[in-house]
Amino acid sequence: MPKHTFILNGKSTTVDVDDDVRLLWVIRDIVGLTGPKYGCGINVCKACTSHLNGKAFNPCSVRVADISETDEVTTIEGLADTADGDLHPMQQAWLEYDVAQCGYCQPGQIMAAVATVRKARAEGHEVSDADLDEIRNVCRCGTYSRIREAIKAGAKDM
Ligand code: FES
Ligand code: FES
């Protein structure tokens, strides 16, 4: 099988797998990081949201062959290492606002939150309600109002 190399949570990672295997299965089943969750597998639910070169992406919809050696993939497991402290400020805010219910969607929600704040700043403004409206991560437990409060609080410490 072909070998594919990319950077995963700061470490060069090589896997031996067919080109067409989607990155979510590589991360979960081959590497063994189960933070990015499987919900739909077709880029709809956003449960698998992670970062590709700092921006939100959904690894269930990306073939491993489409990722290059210099691409940096960050999952929830590696998020804290991108900031100072034991937890990323957004993870800390999640705890303070007691956001999670069943928890299934929450890694993806936090990764989407961080990417949304970064995107707003890259555009020259702080994260707004309009930015938050664009987050499409589904939460079957309906924790949306706590998610919004936590994102605003977490953004202040980012
Ligand atoms: S599992 Fe990736 S978007 Fe649903
Ligand atoms: S906390 Fe249960 S799906 Fe979001």
Side-chain angles (χ1 to χ4, degrees), residues 104-119:
Y104 196 81
C105 73
Q106 300 292 331
Q109 301 284 5
I110 292 171
M111 296 305 276
V114 171
T116 300
V117 173
R118 283 182 188 155
K119 181 166 174 279

Side-chain angles (χ1 to χ4, degrees), residues 7-11 50-55 72-91 110-111 114-115 118 157-158:
I7 299 164
L8 179 59
N9 295 332
K11 249 179 50 188
S50 300
H51 296 165
L52 177 58
N53 302 323
K55 296 184 178 159
E72 295 196 27
V73 175
T74 307
T75 67
I76 189 76
E77 288 90 343
L79 182 65
D81 291 339
T82 67
D84 297 333
D86 291 341
L87 290 177
H88 187 281
M90 197 60 77
Q91 292 173 301
I110 292 171
M111 296 305 276
V114 171
R118 283 182 188 155
D157 295 326
M158 273 174 67

Side-chain angles (χ1 to χ4, degrees), residues 24-25 36-49 57-61 104:
L24 180 60
W25 282 267
K37 296 293 183 265
Y38 169 68
C40 65
I42 52 168
N43 198 9
V44 172
C45 73
K46 310 295 182 188
C48 65
T49 304
F57 88 118
N58 290 94
C60 70
S61 62
Y104 196 81

